[in-house]
């Protein structure tokens, strides 16, 4: 069996929805990879440059709740501001939550290549440490 890279993400075939997996050496890196995986499911960002920066906080909670909070924010910003993250930095907040910083671009700067996610499903959500660091698997409702 081939060893996966230290950090990455992929889309997995799933009936009627989209399933993503992400992994990294640490929790925050895994969240950042999950954001990239979500964006990759429906747009091609090649050639898009950052047009802005956004920072937000996710309140303290269980690790799966933190992941869902960040992914929900991607969908919310897409719906309300027509922006998407091109690069994601995640760090732990002093209160146990997360601080997330995105370099963003407008949806008019990217090419649509798949169904736009509408929500993060809690069904079969996985997020936690594994033998190589941290990993997650998430289903996106489209």
């Amino acid at each position: 069996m081939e060893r996966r890279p230290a950090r990455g993400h992929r889309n997995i075939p799933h009936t009627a929805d989209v399933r993503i997996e992400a992994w990294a050496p640490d929790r925050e890196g895994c969240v950042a990879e999950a954001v990239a995986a979500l964006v990759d499911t429906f747009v091609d960002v090649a050639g898009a440059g950052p047009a802005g920066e956004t920072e937000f906080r996710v309140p303290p909670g269980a690790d799966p709740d933190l992941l869902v909070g960040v992914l929900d924010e991607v969908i919310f910003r897409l719906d309300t501001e027509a922006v998407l993250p091109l690069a994601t930095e995640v760090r732990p907040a002093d209160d146990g939550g997360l601080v997330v910083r995105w370099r963003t671009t407008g949806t008019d700067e990217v090419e649509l290549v798949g169904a736009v996610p509408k929500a993060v499903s809690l069904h079969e959500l996985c997020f936690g440490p594994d033998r190589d660091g941290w990993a997650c698997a998430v289903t996106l409702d489209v």
Side-chain angles (χ1 to χ4, degrees), residues 24-83:
D26 57 27
R27 180 184 74 164
E28 292 75 20
C30 189
V31 172
E33 285 295 331
V35 169
L38 183 156
V39 171
D40 285 352
T41 67
F42 70 101
V43 294
D44 179 0
V45 297
E53 278 196 20
T54 299
E55 184 174 289
F56 66 95
R57 292 180 175 270
V58 178
D63 291 325
D65 296 335
L66 296 173
L67 174 64
V68 170
V70 174
L71 297 178
D72 278 344
E73 191 72 17
V74 175
I75 296 168
F76 175 75
R77 302 281 175 120
L78 172 65
D79 289 344
T80 61
E81 299 173 11
V83 298

Side-chain angles (χ1 to χ4, degrees), residues 17-142:
D17 291 316
V18 175
R19 184 122 172 118
I20 59 173
E21 289 183 349
W23 59 90
D26 57 27
R27 180 184 74 164
E28 292 75 20
C30 189
V31 172
E33 285 295 331
V35 169
L38 183 156
V39 171
D40 285 352
T41 67
F42 70 101
V43 294
D44 179 0
V45 297
E53 278 196 20
T54 299
E55 184 174 289
F56 66 95
R57 292 180 175 270
V58 178
D63 291 325
D65 296 335
L66 296 173
L67 174 64
V68 170
V70 174
L71 297 178
D72 278 344
E73 191 72 17
V74 175
I75 296 168
F76 175 75
R77 302 281 175 120
L78 172 65
D79 289 344
T80 61
E81 299 173 11
V83 298
L84 291 167
L86 290 177
T88 303
E89 298 169 20
V90 182
R91 66 181 192 274
D94 293 337
D95 65 1
L98 296 175
V99 177
V100 180
R101 176 170 287 209
W102 287 330
R103 284 187 289 293
T104 59
T105 193
T107 55
D108 56 340
E109 299 296 319
V110 297
E111 180 183 349
L112 186 66
V113 296
V116 177
K118 300 296 179 199
V120 177
S121 174
L122 300 180
H123 182 68
E124 296 182 346
L125 173 73
C126 301
F127 182 47
D130 72 0
R131 71 178 191 280
D132 297 319
W134 280 71
C136 69
V138 180
T139 301
L140 305 170
D141 297 332
V142 294

